[in-house]
């Protein structure tokens, strides 16, 4: 095979399935046995899947913003790979949410056609940590370190869920989160131990995202109910485990925990209740505008 | 006529076309029911693996060409795929094609997942010259399952199918 350009090489066979992998991939749980265990409340379960799915979806969108803008080519590929892992987790969780809900909503409907108050992600994943005005590479690494440490602990406990689909998605996700966390931890050490400039940026990055740390451990009523039923993980129980991991990284990097106040709730409501920061609307506008401008479009 | 098992085992991976799905450990089972229905079970390598639908289509097409028209491809997520399922033949073919095969990792110990504050020190042999003096350039490469290395002896860059 020889082609004058890369475009020919992918269009030559004129086979749409080879155009780009994934274009016809419309059911990430295809063939998975997914009956809801009889004793599980399906309204709660659908909402819980949205919470975990939205965390992954929104951070995936944020990490994708680095594509072609990372400090070096290898890091471009790394952040894109991590984003792809999270997108894969989001697709399975949103598909599960739509199915358990039973209102006929597929993953794309949930990703593209919900408005801001319907998103259930924690606020940590939505804030702008760069490459936009909200931060830089160090800020993005700081967020990834916190997020991956927390989600890894969460998924690790979720493997014992009585919902077999959640347990399986978690078991798969653990392996991915483990290297996301390692990647962020190793960069934290390098940036903190690099130059005065890289160290100051790492400190600034941690300071920027730390106000959103406490929210990760504030359980929503649905999480509490489902945890009691053996389906979900109460995030409040993860605190010491996540603290221990972050303390190890910060100690190795000779960094202190930022002394900042947690971002306040809005009338006791947080991201899990659909209350988001100013950044969320802009993020959704970019993520959703094509699907909303051209309903039913595929690419 | 080939059995459904034989046909399914010959289907190649879309992103690593030197490996069959069986070599890769993605093909988990092939059953033929009394009605003639063939049920193929596969598992994704990574959650975001975009080639899964392609694999399903290839399996259905190849089995159809072999005379099996009633085919169901099921996806299982549990137990999660591990590179330990890459067959000996798969490892050999990877090396022949310039991709350093994965080491065996074994099951994870009980308890929290250990944190690694430095890149794993694994002996990855250069698939071109066999030297053990190699350096990891990037944990991530052209696909989710590979890392980028360089040989310190022959100076050739190469990919390593990373352990999962």
């Amino acid at each position: 095979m020889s082609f004058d350009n890369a475009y020919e090489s992918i269009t030559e066979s004129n086979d749409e399935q080879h155009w780009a992998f994934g274009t016809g991939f419309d059911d990430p749980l295809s063939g998975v046995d997914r009956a809801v265990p009889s004793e599980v409340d399906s309204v709660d379960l659908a909402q819980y899947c949205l919470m975990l799915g939205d965390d992954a979806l929104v951070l995936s969108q944020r990490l994708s913003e680095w594509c072609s803008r990372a400090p070096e080519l290898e890091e471009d590929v790394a952040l894109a790979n991590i984003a792809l892992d999270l997108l894969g987790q989001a697709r399975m969780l949103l598909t599960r949410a739509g199915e358990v809900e039973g209102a006929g909503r597929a993953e794309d409907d949930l990703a593209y056609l919900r408005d801001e108050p319907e998103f259930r992600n924690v606020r940590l994943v939505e804030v702008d940590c760069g490459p936009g005005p909200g931060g830089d590479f160090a800020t993005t690494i700081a967020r990834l370190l916190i997020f991956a440490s927390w989600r890894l602990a969460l998924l690790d406990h979720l493997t014992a869920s009585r919902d077999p689909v959640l347990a399986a998605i978690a078991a798969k996700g653990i392996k991915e989160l483990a290297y996301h966390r390692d990647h962020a931890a190793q960069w934290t050490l390098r940036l903190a131990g690099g130059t005065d400039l890289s160290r100051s940026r790492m400190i600034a990055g941690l300071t920027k995202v730390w106000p959103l740390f406490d929210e990760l451990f504030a359980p929503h009523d649905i999480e509490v109910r489902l945890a009691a039923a053996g389906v979900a993980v109460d995030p409040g129980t993860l605190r010491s485990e996540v603290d221990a991991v972050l303390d190890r990284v910060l100690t190795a990097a000779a960094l202190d925990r930022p002394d900042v106040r947690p971002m306040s709730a809005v009338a006791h409501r947080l991201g899990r209740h659909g209350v988001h920061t100013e950044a969320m609307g802009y993020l959704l506008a970019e993520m959703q505008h094509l699907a909303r401008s051209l309903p039913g479009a595929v690419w | 006529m080939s059995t459904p098992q034989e046909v399914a085992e010959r289907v190649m991976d879309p992103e690593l076309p030197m490996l069959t799905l069986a070599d890769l450990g993605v093909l988990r089972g092939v059953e033929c029911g009394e009605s003639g229905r063939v049920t193929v079970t596969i598992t994704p390598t990574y959650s975001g693996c975009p080639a899964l639908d392609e694999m399903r289509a290839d399996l259905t097409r190849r089995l159809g060409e072999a005379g099996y028209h009633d085919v169901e491809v099921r996806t299982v997520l549990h137990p999660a795929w591990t590179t330990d399922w890459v067959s000996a033949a798969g490892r050999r073919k990877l090396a022949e094609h310039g991709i350093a095969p994965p080491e065996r990792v074994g099951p994870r110990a009980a308890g929290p997942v250990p944190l690694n504050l430095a890149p794993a020190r694994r002996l990855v042999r250069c698939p071109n010259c066999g030297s053990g003096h190699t350096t990891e350039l990037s944990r991530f490469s052209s696909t989710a399952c590979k890392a980028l290395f360089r040989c310190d002896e022959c100076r050739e860059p190469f990919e390593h199918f990373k352990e999962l």
Side-chain angles (χ1 to χ4, degrees):
Chain A
M1 260 193 303
S2 81
F3 299 100
D4 289 341
N5 62 50
Y7 180 75
E8 273 182 42
S9 73
I10 52 173
T11 54
E12 189 262 353
S13 67
N14 198 23
D15 176 351
E16 275 189 24
Q17 274 174 326
H18 284 89
W19 221 100
F21 291 141
T23 51
F25 180 9
D26 56 4
D27 183 1
L29 285 172
S30 170
V32 172
D33 180 12
R34 39 211 178 163
V36 178
S38 56
E39 66 281 14
V40 175
D41 184 305
S42 58
V43 175
D44 279 359
L45 180 59
Q47 283 293 309
Y48 186 60
C49 291
L50 275 187
M51 293 174 183
L52 301 188
D54 286 346
D55 290 344
L57 175 67
V58 173
L59 186 55
S60 174
Q61 174 73 15
R62 277 293 183 211
L63 289 170
S64 310
E65 293 171 1
W66 280 97
C67 203
S68 81
R69 303 181 69 179
E72 54 188 33
L73 182 60
E74 287 79 3
E75 210 42 43
D76 223 275
V77 175
L79 294 178
N81 262 296
I82 292 170
L84 180 62
D85 288 339
L86 292 174
L87 185 64
Q89 294 176 19
R91 293 189 60 184
M92 293 194 280
L93 287 160
L94 293 188
T95 298
R96 180 69 171 158
E99 218 167 58
V100 172
E101 178 191 56
R105 291 200 285 184
E107 49 171 334
D108 277 0
D109 300 319
L110 290 167
Y112 296 131
L113 302 180
R114 276 182 301 154
D115 290 332
E116 182 178 324
E118 295 167 90
F119 275 80
R120 292 287 176 264
N121 56 282
V122 293
R123 294 179 297 178
L124 174 70
V125 294
E126 75 205 33
V127 293
D128 176 9
C129 289
D136 54 13
F137 182 67
T139 316
T140 284
I141 289 297
R143 168 171 50 197
L144 184 62
L145 174 68
I146 293 174
F147 177 80
S149 300
W150 170 72
R151 189 169 174 93
L152 177 57
L154 198 164
L155 294 188
D156 197 15
H157 289 272
L158 196 61
T159 55
S161 172
R162 285 168 67 190
D163 176 35
V165 177
L166 274 182
I169 293 172
K172 187 130 207 78
I174 283 175
K175 297 181 174 208
E176 296 160 355
L177 265 305
Y179 63 73
H180 301 174
R181 185 186 67 178
D182 285 354
H183 190 70
Q186 289 167 22
W187 264 115
T188 302
L189 261 59
R190 271 199 269 174
L191 292 171
T195 63
D196 288 346
L197 178 62
S198 73
R199 184 173 175 80
S200 69
R201 288 220 194 172
M202 193 66 233
I203 291 169
L206 283 166
T207 308
K208 155 116 186 176
V209 295
W210 212 270
L212 293 153
F213 181 59
D214 279 4
E215 179 181 341
L216 304 180
F217 307 99
H220 186 280
D221 290 346
I222 287 175
E223 291 172 299
V224 174
R225 280 201 298 274
L226 284 180
V231 173
V233 175
D234 176 347
T237 62
L238 302 173
R239 181 103 201 196
S240 60
E241 195 177 325
V242 178
D243 272 340
V245 168
L246 293 178
D247 283 345
R248 260 193 73 201
V249 178
L250 295 180
T251 303
L255 292 169
D256 295 321
R257 262 177 194 252
D259 183 20
V260 288
R261 289 162 61 97
M263 185 183 282
S264 56
V266 179
H268 305 290
R269 290 157 60 84
L270 299 162
R272 288 278 187 253
H273 301 89
V275 171
H276 296 286
T277 61
E278 186 186 353
M280 188 68 172
Y282 293 97
L283 181 146
L284 291 182
E286 180 159 341
M287 188 174 86
Q288 298 182 332
H289 88 269
L290 188 64
R292 291 195 183 216
S293 313
L294 301 163
V298 289
W299 54 87
Chain B
M1 186 174 176
S2 301
T3 66
Q5 178 86 29
E6 288 165 345
V7 176
E9 284 182 353
R10 285 198 293 266
V11 175
M12 309 307 278
D13 179 71
E15 287 190 342
L16 292 161
M18 76 295 279
L19 295 190
T20 64
L21 296 181
D23 287 334
L24 193 58
V26 156
L27 183 69
R28 303 310 298 158
V30 182
E31 284 173 37
C32 198
E34 284 179 13
S35 63
R37 160 167 280 214
V38 176
T39 306
V40 183
T41 307
I42 57 174
T43 191
T45 51
Y46 287 75
S47 297
C49 176
L52 202 62
D53 197 53
E54 181 83 0
M55 294 178 189
R56 274 198 284 268
D58 285 349
L59 282 162
T60 307
R61 186 169 65 241
R62 295 281 173 231
L63 282 160
E65 286 166 5
Y68 300 101
H69 298 290
D70 186 8
V71 177
E72 184 193 7
V73 181
R74 296 174 56 85
T75 309
V76 288
L77 297 174
H78 182 81
W81 180 81
T82 158
T83 44
D84 285 358
W85 294 348
V86 178
S87 68
R91 285 162 205 274
R92 181 176 48 74
K93 288 184 217 169
L94 282 171
E96 284 169 8
H97 285 80
I99 300 172
E103 295 267 295
R104 302 227 175 243
V105 285
R108 174 163 76 85
V113 182
L115 171 72
N116 299 305
L117 290 176
R121 291 260 168 251
R122 284 206 167 90
L123 177 66
V124 176
R125 287 203 175 277
C126 171
N128 303 301
C129 75
S131 167
H133 295 121
T134 60
T135 308
E136 182 182 277
L137 296 178
S138 170
R139 188 88 185 268
F140 300 87
S141 188
S142 58
T143 60
C145 58
K146 286 177 282 178
L148 197 59
F149 274 69
R150 181 181 55 217
C151 176
D152 299 330
E153 297 283 342
C154 72
R155 310 300 292 171
E156 282 291 323
F158 65 91
E159 287 190 307
H160 167 51
F161 201 108
K162 66 190 172 198
E163 293 77 12
L164 188 75

